[in-house]
Amino acid sequence: MPDELPYPFLQDPEEMARFEGWTREQLAALLAVRAGSLSASDFDTTYRVERAILVLDLTGFTETAIKGGALKSFLRVLDAHSICLPVMREFGALFVRTFADDVVALFDAPDAALDAALETHRRNDHFARSGRS
């Protein structure tokens, strides 16, 4: 980098891979592109794939957490995951990651992601009307 930065700038692919976003190999290739030792077309040939990303987030979760307390919030997340995760599996999600009230899923195609989102909302509505929530 031309100028020194007044803060850490992580560039070690091994350490970056510990955060589970990309593999060490992918990170090393990206850093090689940045350094000019790997072309963008070579990177694309090796790593580029097209996928659809679905991100779901609970509406009003923060307000529920503030007003209802931690346990009520955890139970709401448990209910959401219990509804959502089977849908992701049924619609062919390649990868699913949950974090707090978020669900992120990766699909081969946008139509599968959209169908999964709509089915999740349909089941959530049914669950809410069942009186179990």
Side-chain angles (χ1 to χ4, degrees):
M1 304 212 107
D3 296 327
E4 284 298 315
L5 297 171
Y7 48 81
F9 187 74
L10 188 57
Q11 296 185 88
D12 176 16
E14 196 73 40
E15 187 176 347
M16 293 173 88
R18 290 188 191 125
F19 293 95
E20 299 180 2
W22 284 314
T23 66
R24 191 202 64 72
E25 292 79 16
Q26 291 165 329
L27 288 160
L30 284 168
L31 291 167
V33 170
R34 178 189 284 153
S37 59
L38 180 66
S39 72
S41 64
D42 286 342
F43 180 88
D44 284 350
T45 298
T46 304
Y47 294 107
R48 184 176 177 167
V49 293
E50 292 189 17
R51 298 287 188 255
I53 301 170
L54 172 62
V55 180
L56 300 173
D57 183 77
L58 285 177
T59 302
F61 178 73
T62 301
E63 184 179 348
T64 300
I66 291 169
K67 291 182 179 177
L71 184 56
K72 184 174 181 178
S73 300
F74 295 154
L75 292 172
R76 186 165 180 229
V77 170
L78 175 64
D79 290 343
H81 289 179
S82 296
I83 293 165
C84 183
L85 295 176
V87 174
M88 299 304 113
R89 182 177 50 225
E90 289 170 29
F91 284 82
L94 305 169
F95 171 87
V96 179
R97 174 75 51 115
T98 61
F99 181 78
D101 67 321
D102 292 339
V103 175
V104 177
L106 189 65
F107 293 88
D108 276 326
D111 57 338
L114 180 58
D115 290 344
L118 294 172
E119 180 61 16
T120 298
H121 283 281
R122 187 190 71 73
R123 291 185 192 186
N124 188 60
D125 183 57
H126 186 265
F127 181 80
R129 285 188 279 117
S130 75
R132 294 188 62 188
S133 59

